[in-house]
Amino acid sequence: MKKTLLSILAFAGLSLAFADNYSMNATGFRDVPTSTSFLNTTTAGVFGNEIDDYMSVTDFSGVEFEKLFAYLGYNYNGAAGFNFGFAKQLKPCYFGWYFGGQLDGFSMGNTISDDSDADKLNYEYAADATNSYTGAVLLGFDKFAMKTTLLYNPVGGKGTVEQVTPKDGDESKVTVDVYELYGDIQIGIDGKYAPHFEIGLDSWVAKKYDNAKGYADKGFADLYLRGGITVDLNSKDSAKDEKDSKDKKDSKDKKAKESDDTFVQALDFDVDTRWRFTPVIQNQNKDGEDEHFGFANNLIQFKPTYKATINATERFVLGAKVALPFQIGVVCEEDYVKPIKGDKVYDTDRVWNTDIGFVPTIDLGVTFAVVPEKFQFNCGTSIAAGEIGWNIVSTQLRDKADSASIDSTTTDVKFGFDSSAFNTRWSAGFTLFIGKTVTVDASYNILNKLNNNSVDYRTTNANIWETCQDIFVQRLEFLVSVKI
């Protein structure tokens, strides 16, 4: 067995030593901001609490409260902004609501005049459109739940820009819309396998209207189709054997429960797909419209994830999450373009990029109850183990630009490992329990500072107090949740 393992490692080492770097050309998946606890982020996603569960279509039923659960923070999507929500039991329905974002400003001005000919209702209104917003609503019934999410993101800090420029006595009006609008619907069932499904549309709007030059559309839309299951791998004694005595059955149940409390494991299997659609008509004016066809940027991912937690002691809990995403990406150029004036022009050397690769990750998390049921320290690390896979580049060659016929195809295949994708991220925080109803969840970024070796007392800092400041003065963020 030992020789076999060494042979496999040696073969892998030789393969990587002579390989070119691998990279995925297709655009990655969009992660929409949602309710996420600092316990989750500071333990690299290994652990979580009710902030993570109350808006989950598979975990909402595990949130225990009588009348209301609510939380509040100011850390939307890793930046400044409101982050809050609540859940309420409206029997037989469970209702959850979430909002994240920062409010935009606006101004309104009125003109008041006693002139009999003046417009008595004259006013001006202007509103900013510079901040992102995310809202979500969840409805749950027993073990079944449905959730819908909507995100608005003004690309470049401005969703709509209007410009009016005088020209030869006339006004040329230009309006530019540049924003992202994402919406999805998720359904899930809480249970042994916890199946969940999602359909979403991520629209990146990039439109320009010019009353002198016409209309241009450079946007696109990504269709998301996702699904998955979670398999509980914990061994449990069913205790259904009627031949056993009651004492023997109770003993087995007790041992099984103790085993489950000590070591808990599960296997997630998710399938994520993203399909990009670009507009056929991208330019239009008084002379007509153009036509674009054949562009593709699609991604498919199969992601098995193994999770395990160990209650080492009554205070110390270890957790690990190992994922091995298998990705298939396809990116290809347009097949042809038909200009506003003219015939179709086919790409004489159309390039297809097909990428097949693995992106393994390892997440480790630790919680330590400094004062049981009062104060808990949390930390974690995320390890990206690099990317390995095949880049397949196919080039379709045409002798004539006015013909769709493909005369020949050349294909290059490269296998490689991208070691630059290997990185680690550290995080730390704490949880403060105030009675049984209030929880303060915090993130304290000290471990990432120390891990990056950015505390240099020899050259950067002039004295020991500056070093202490580097260590202890770090970003501190809070989330406060309440159950009643």
Side-chain angles (χ1 to χ4, degrees):
M1 181 64 183
K2 185 176 180 180
K3 292 182 178 180
T4 303
L5 180 59
L6 291 175
S7 299
I8 295 174
L9 293 175
F11 176 76
L14 289 174
S15 298
L16 299 180
F18 293 97
D20 292 322
N21 288 349
Y22 163 82
S23 62
M24 172 63 68
N25 287 285
T27 305
F29 296 104
R30 177 69 159 104
D31 293 324
V32 178
T34 186
S35 54
T36 306
S37 69
F38 282 128
L39 175 60
N40 183 288
T41 57
T42 58
T43 60
V46 175
F47 298 103
N49 59 27
E50 291 170 325
I51 294 177
D52 305 286
D53 295 342
Y54 91 98
M55 289 296 289
S56 169
V57 293
T58 56
D59 299 321
F60 76 97
S61 61
V63 181
E64 298 180 356
F65 62 93
E66 293 184 5
K67 297 181 180 180
L68 179 72
F69 168 81
Y71 87 99
L72 172 66
Y74 195 70
N75 62 312
Y76 170 71
N77 198 24
F82 292 103
N83 181 20
F84 60 92
F86 70 88
K88 188 171 179 59
Q89 296 286 359
L90 303 175
K91 296 183 179 180
C93 174
Y94 172 101
F95 178 79
W97 180 81
Y98 164 79
F99 174 81
Q102 185 170 344
L103 299 178
D104 277 314
F106 70 92
S107 64
M108 179 179 291
N110 294 330
T111 300
I112 303 174
S113 175
D114 59 2
D115 188 344
S116 60
D117 296 329
D119 184 358
K120 300 298 189 297
L121 300 177
N122 183 23
Y123 69 90
E124 293 182 354
Y125 174 82
D128 298 331
T130 60
N131 297 318
S132 298
Y133 303 90
T134 303
V137 174
L138 183 144
L139 293 177
F141 303 89
D142 192 18
K143 300 293 184 179
F144 172 81
M146 180 174 64
K147 174 183 175 182
T148 181
T149 302
L150 183 66
L151 173 144
Y152 169 77
N153 174 37
V155 179
K158 292 185 178 181
T160 301
V161 179
E162 288 192 3
Q163 180 180 1
V164 178
T165 304
K167 183 179 180 181
D168 298 330
D170 298 326
E171 288 187 345
S172 177
K173 185 176 181 180
V174 178
T175 302
V176 181
D177 289 329
V178 185
Y179 63 88
E180 175 194 10
L181 187 65
Y182 175 94
D184 68 25
I185 296 177
Q186 302 177 37
I187 60 174
I189 301 174
D190 189 8
K192 183 177 180 180
Y193 296 102
H196 58 90
F197 307 94
E198 173 186 338
I199 179 171
L201 185 64
D202 191 15
S203 300
W204 291 80
V205 177
K207 297 182 179 180
K208 181 177 180 180
Y209 309 86
D210 188 328
N211 63 343
K213 298 180 180 179
Y215 163 86
D217 186 358
K218 301 299 182 181
F220 60 86
D222 286 337
L223 175 65
Y224 283 89
L225 299 175
R226 293 174 166 177
I229 60 173
T230 300
V231 182
D232 187 356
L233 300 178
N234 302 304
S235 59
K236 298 180 180 179
D237 193 337
S238 62
K240 293 183 179 181
D241 192 349
E242 298 181 355
K243 296 182 180 180
D244 293 338
S245 65
K246 184 178 181 299
D247 293 339
K248 186 175 181 180
K249 183 179 73 172
D250 291 343
S251 177
K252 285 186 176 182
D253 289 342
K254 183 178 180 180
K255 290 181 179 179
K257 185 177 185 302
E258 291 175 350
S259 175
D260 292 341
D261 290 341
T262 302
F263 182 70
V264 179
Q265 56 180 338
L267 179 64
D268 291 340
F269 186 81
D270 295 310
V271 179
D272 301 312
T273 67
R274 181 192 55 73
W275 310 91
R276 177 159 298 179
F277 297 91
T278 55
V280 175
I281 299 173
Q282 298 183 10
N283 295 278
Q284 186 176 8
N285 57 32
K286 61 182 180 180
D287 296 323
E289 57 189 29
D290 65 0
E291 187 175 321
H292 298 254
F293 182 80
F295 178 81
N297 186 327
N298 306 319
L299 182 62
I300 301 174
Q301 175 177 271
F302 303 90
K303 185 179 179 181
T305 305
Y306 174 76
K307 301 179 181 179
T309 60
I310 301 175
N311 293 309
T313 68
E314 293 182 356
R315 295 186 176 187
F316 191 54
V317 183
L318 299 170
K321 184 173 63 175
V322 181
L324 187 62
F326 173 65
Q327 298 180 340
I328 302 174
V330 176
V331 176
C332 67
E333 300 173 349
E334 292 178 338
D335 189 26
Y336 72 81
V337 176
K338 181 184 180 299
I340 293 177
K341 292 183 177 180
D343 299 325
K344 291 181 181 179
V345 178
Y346 288 89
D347 195 337
T348 56
D349 54 350
R350 188 187 185 197
V351 177
W352 287 71
N353 287 280
T354 303
D355 308 312
I356 304 172
F358 296 89
V359 190
T361 59
I362 302 173
D363 300 312
L364 304 174
V366 174
T367 65
F368 178 71
V370 181
V371 180
E373 300 182 357
K374 297 291 183 181
F375 183 80
Q376 175 179 291
F377 174 73
N378 313 310
C379 67
T381 180
S382 296
I383 304 172
E387 301 179 3
I388 184 171
W390 294 263
N391 291 127
I392 304 172
V393 181
S394 298
T395 304
Q396 296 178 344
L397 301 175
R398 294 185 174 101
D399 293 336
K400 298 180 180 179
D402 60 351
S403 173
S405 176
I406 298 173
D407 297 292
S408 63
T409 301
T410 61
T411 302
D412 295 323
V413 181
K414 295 182 179 180
F415 173 76
F417 173 69
D418 184 10
S419 60
S420 65
F422 181 91
N423 65 78
T424 60
R425 292 184 295 106
W426 291 81
S427 53
F430 60 86
T431 306
L432 178 64
F433 302 96
I434 305 175
K436 295 183 178 180
T437 59
V438 179
T439 301
V440 178
D441 199 15
S443 171
Y444 183 53
N445 204 26
I446 182 61
L447 279 186
N448 194 54
K449 182 77 172 180
L450 295 176
N451 179 67
N452 289 336
N453 297 321
S454 48
V455 179
D456 187 350
Y457 62 88
R458 293 173 298 179
T459 57
T460 304
N461 297 330
N463 56 54
I464 187 63
W465 299 115
E466 293 183 6
T467 301
C468 291
Q469 177 176 310
D470 270 352
I471 296 176
F472 295 107
V473 181
Q474 296 297 322
R475 185 173 181 176
L476 183 61
E477 298 176 299
F478 295 94
L479 291 174
V480 179
S481 62
V482 179
K483 292 194 299 183
I484 57 176

